[in-house]
Amino acid sequence: MAEIFSTIFTFNNVLMMFIGVFAGIIIGVLPGLGTTFAVTVLLTITFGMDSYSGMYLLLGAYVGSVYGGSITAILINTPGTNSAVATAFDGYPMAEQGRAGDALNAALFASTIGGLVSAFALMFFAPQLAKVVNLIASPEYFCLCIFGLCAAVSVAGNNRIKGLICACFGLLIACVGMDPAYGTNRFTFGYYRLLGGFRFSTVMLGAYAMSTVLIKCHEAYISGTKGAEPIQFHRSNFHFHHTFRYWKTLIRSSIYGVVIGAIPGTGSAISAMLGYNAAKRGSKNQENFGKGEIEGVIAPECANNAVTGATMIPLLTMGIPGDGATAVLLGALTMQGVIPGKQLFSEGSIWVYAIMGGLIVVNLVMLLQGSVMIRLFANVTRVPLTVLMPCIVVTCFMGAYALGNSTFEIVVMIAFGMIGYLMKRFDFPIPPLTIALVLGSLCESNLRRSMLVSHNNWAVFVTRPVSVLILLLAVAFMLIPTINKFLQERKITKKLDIDNVEAVD
Amino acid sequence: MKEIKKKTESVITLFLLMVLAVVTRIWILPAQIPETNAALNTSGTFTPRTFPGLLLVVIAVLCFVGVVSNLVSLIKLRRQYADELSAKKPEKEKKSFGQIVENLIPYIIFAILILYWFLITKIGFLISTLIITTMILALLRCKKWYLYLATWIYSGTLYLIFTKVLYVRLP
């Protein structure tokens, strides 16, 4: 225990947590950039850091950006991230009523509580899951990868065909380089730099950061150098202990966040929406929701931050990322030479426990920074995009170069920037691609091993109870949006029929 | 009408992707992944080509399904908006130079990024960064001198962080 404490509380590590949370909140505040963008951009400066400092910086950015999205959602009705969409439903009406301070404080306190619950869930569940992982064989691992991909496709958007194409494309990109079993070159086109395949971090920088730059430059060209108007603040009477008045909402939202976060391929946006809906259903003040109900701010904020630790459960135990941002974290781990999986828990190393403990401290750092610097964070929106874009370009270029010490990485980043831009332009979701890219080698090696063990019998995946169960869950995930749509249409038709009957009567 | 445009775009992009997947499966895959004897002898059917080959087939099939489903909904939409579509189209207004540039901004920025990479290899990070940031700011119609200064200071600071703190040898 003392060793874990001394590892976490070094000057460097605490400084990195502060920088990470600060940068994360600022990026989270800026609409359209998002959590994955924050983690990806900061990944570039983890080069040369030790694994603790690097991870604390990225965890800070991850947690901070999830919270940061709520600030602009409340103040200017523009969610900085997808996970803050539900926060705007009641946060902005509160700001209009002159209760912006209360809403901001409620969001901060709920986010901190959600984040802490999630960190404790990680501490409790990850070691248990790591024990179970020992029992999982290749067919189950392959099915888990398929499940992660299906979940990512299912939540990425309405067009699941395009999502599946992106996932397959991601798996295909992961094939580039030397085949791990036979050493055969695959899609290298005779270029020796491609023998090791594409560096995941570089692809992420391109697909997320560069494609965003291409899109935002277009917006900046139209909007010019105008920043947002100065933001009005109101004094807050909502203090930390007031949050516990809504303990039922806090518990419910935390559970939603932890469960959704632990499912590979999902993310904080869904948990926030589910948390909000559950709070609305269970509240005595249902009719006030959407009109400035503080519970409507607490529920989604607690739920979206409760995802942050839970997404690390499948990441650290099985090497399967929970969402896009943790996919980047996985890239960072690989860069640092840390291989996620059951061995992290079984070798008696304190690394994983120091990371879990660090996540708790990161949440407290967020509480501190959020309380002290809220005005500064809110005014970040006044910085014009025109200035931000070249700064992001320079950061990404230097970072990409640092990742491989070569300009080849820059070329890869630019190429994937264009691919990402075209994907966004033609409605192809990026998250399935990035998650597939991470899962690619895991997926192929386990498929190959399963085939070898079963003497090329594909039935191996449907004759083992656990793999069948995982596959069924994957299919269910793919079908949920269709079933939901069908039920909603049926509900509307029924309502119309009743209205018609009443009109005739 | 916007939906019709989107569906048409989807049909074209999915069709092109399908062609690309088929071409890659038939010509590029055999050329880029040589089939070794070791692979054929030891693992039976699962060779280094199997997984990427399988993925390409799945992509082609998905694209085909996508093309068909989008075509069906496109036909339905065209029937729905038949009157509007049959009405004489108003003559398109000529786009001004500014509008053309506006639509091309992402591609111009892309070209600038390639130029940035080229300049880095020739004249190093620092000077090329000054040139490129100035170009981007000018392209985005920034007229305030202090914003240029702020960007240069940021770039210079980042350069120092990478070279002096993180010990990255930038060219």
Side-chain angles (χ1 to χ4, degrees), chain A residues 100-154:
Chain A
D102 287 353
L104 286 169
N105 274 359
L108 176 65
F109 301 148
S111 295
T112 308
I113 293 167
L116 288 174
V117 170
S118 195
F120 283 112
L122 171 68
M123 288 180 108
F124 180 75
F125 290 114
Q128 310 306 323
L129 190 63
K131 285 177 197 163
V132 179
V133 168
N134 279 320
L135 308 171
I136 291 178
S138 299
E140 284 81 18
Y141 240 114
F142 174 73
C143 294
L144 264 176
C145 293
I146 297 295
F147 173 73
L149 290 175
C150 287
V153 169
S154 169

Side-chain angles (χ1 to χ4, degrees), chain A residues 44-49 142 159 161-162 164-165 167-169 171-172 175 179 182 184-190 210 213-215 217-218 220-226 384-387 389-395 397-399 401-402 405 407-408 410-411 414-415 417-418 421-422 425-428 440 443-444 447-448 451-452 456 458, chain B residues 6 9-10 13-14 17 24 28-29 32-36 38-39 42-49 51-56 58-59 62-63 65-66 69-70 98 101-103 105-107 109-110 113-114 116-117 120-121 125 129 132-133 136-137 139-144 147 150-151 154-155 158-159 161-162 166-171:
Chain A
T44 58
I45 59 166
T46 59
F47 180 84
M49 288 182 190
F142 174 73
N159 199 326
I161 289 181
K162 283 184 178 175
L164 281 170
I165 292 170
C168 290
F169 181 52
L171 292 174
L172 199 63
C175 291
D179 174 62
Y182 300 103
T184 313
N185 296 348
R186 300 196 291 190
F187 299 115
T188 56
F189 296 90
M210 278 298 119
V213 164
L214 296 178
I215 291 168
C217 277
H218 187 233
Y221 181 82
I222 298 164
S223 66
T225 47
K226 273 186 290 175
L385 275 176
T386 316
V387 183
M389 288 306 116
C391 293
I392 292 170
V393 167
V394 174
T395 313
F397 267 64
M398 288 192 189
Y401 181 86
N405 241 346
T407 50
F408 172 73
I410 295 176
V411 177
I414 297 173
M418 198 50 178
Y421 169 74
L422 291 174
R425 163 84 179 71
F426 294 109
D427 291 330
F428 284 85
C443 200
E444 187 184 1
L447 173 65
R448 185 174 275 177
M451 289 287 106
L452 207 69
N456 297 313
W458 287 86
Chain B
K6 272 207 150 184
E9 272 181 5
S10 283
T13 48
L14 287 169
L17 278 177
T24 311
I28 300 176
L29 182 105
Q32 284 300 315
I33 309 179
E35 204 70 288
T36 57
T42 51
S43 74
T45 54
F46 208 101
T47 68
R49 273 186 196 175
F51 192 59
L54 195 71
L55 289 171
L56 285 164
V58 174
I59 291 176
L62 285 169
C63 286
V65 174
S69 66
N70 276 296
V101 173
E102 191 185 306
N103 291 336
I105 284 291
Y107 303 99
I109 294 287
F110 179 66
L113 295 181
I114 293 172
Y116 190 12
W117 162 74
I120 285 168
T121 56
F125 249 111
T129 299
I132 293 299
T133 47
I136 296 176
L137 283 167
L139 178 73
L140 300 179
R141 300 186 289 192
C142 176
K143 285 171 189 152
K144 292 167 184 161
L147 294 180
T151 314
Y154 173 82
S155 307
L158 201 68
Y159 183 84
I161 290 174
F162 268 91
L166 300 170
Y167 302 110
V168 176
R169 277 191 185 183
L170 293 171

Side-chain angles (χ1 to χ4, degrees), chain A residues 20-350:
Chain A
V21 171
F22 184 78
I25 296 179
I26 284 180
I27 295 174
V29 162
L30 295 166
L33 298 186
T35 308
T36 314
F37 181 90
V39 184
T40 312
V41 170
L42 283 183
L43 173 77
T44 58
I45 59 166
T46 59
F47 180 84
M49 288 182 190
D50 67 80
S51 64
Y52 291 111
S53 303
M55 277 306 282
Y56 291 146
L57 180 86
L58 297 180
L59 283 176
Y62 181 32
V63 172
S65 58
V66 173
Y67 156 67
S70 68
I71 298 173
T72 38
I74 290 166
L75 293 172
I76 53 173
N77 202 18
T78 312
T81 54
N82 289 342
S83 55
V85 171
T87 312
F89 295 163
D90 281 276
Y92 185 62
M94 280 180 76
E96 280 185 316
Q97 293 158 15
R99 293 159 62 210
D102 287 353
L104 286 169
N105 274 359
L108 176 65
F109 301 148
S111 295
T112 308
I113 293 167
L116 288 174
V117 170
S118 195
F120 283 112
L122 171 68
M123 288 180 108
F124 180 75
F125 290 114
Q128 310 306 323
L129 190 63
K131 285 177 197 163
V132 179
V133 168
N134 279 320
L135 308 171
I136 291 178
S138 299
E140 284 81 18
Y141 240 114
F142 174 73
C143 294
L144 264 176
C145 293
I146 297 295
F147 173 73
L149 290 175
C150 287
V153 169
S154 169
V155 300
N158 290 329
N159 199 326
R160 266 159 291 152
I161 289 181
K162 283 184 178 175
L164 281 170
I165 292 170
C166 291
C168 290
F169 181 52
L171 292 174
L172 199 63
I173 294 171
C175 291
V176 174
M178 202 181 274
D179 174 62
Y182 300 103
T184 313
N185 296 348
R186 300 196 291 190
F187 299 115
T188 56
F189 296 90
Y191 196 56
Y192 78 96
R193 283 199 184 274
L194 283 176
L195 283 176
F198 289 115
R199 203 180 289 268
F200 174 68
S201 319
T202 316
V203 175
M204 291 293 274
L205 268 180
Y208 278 104
M210 278 298 119
S211 64
T212 310
V213 164
L214 296 178
I215 291 168
K216 290 284 167 188
C217 277
H218 187 233
E219 283 175 27
Y221 181 82
I222 298 164
S223 66
T225 47
K226 273 186 290 175
E229 294 296 314
I231 289 163
Q232 296 296 315
F233 274 87
H234 311 275
R235 276 186 70 84
S236 170
N237 296 318
F238 191 88
H239 302 290
F240 192 71
H241 62 273
H242 292 145
T243 323
F244 294 102
R245 283 183 197 158
Y246 306 96
W247 61 274
K248 276 185 192 167
T249 304
L250 289 173
I251 292 173
R252 210 184 292 128
S253 292
S254 300
I255 292 171
Y256 270 112
V258 169
V259 172
I260 297 285
I263 298 172
T266 55
S268 52
I270 311 167
S271 71
M273 204 54 88
L274 287 174
Y276 180 84
N277 286 334
K280 193 177 173 182
R281 276 198 306 271
S283 173
K284 289 172 198 164
N285 308 320
Q286 253 186 44
E287 66 282 0
N288 290 344
F289 271 72
K291 296 172 191 163
E293 172 62 46
I294 201 157
E295 218 177 331
V297 175
I298 290 172
E301 277 309 303
C302 181
N304 65 25
N305 271 72
V307 163
T308 52
T311 48
M312 306 273 290
I313 297 174
L315 176 80
L316 293 177
T317 51
M318 295 180 281
I320 295 175
D323 60 6
T326 37
V328 186
L329 288 179
L330 182 59
L333 288 179
T334 319
M335 208 169 81
Q336 300 281 0
V338 178
I339 301 160
K342 50 198 174 194
Q343 67 276 6
L344 267 185
F345 295 83
S346 57
E347 283 170 7
S349 148
I350 63 152

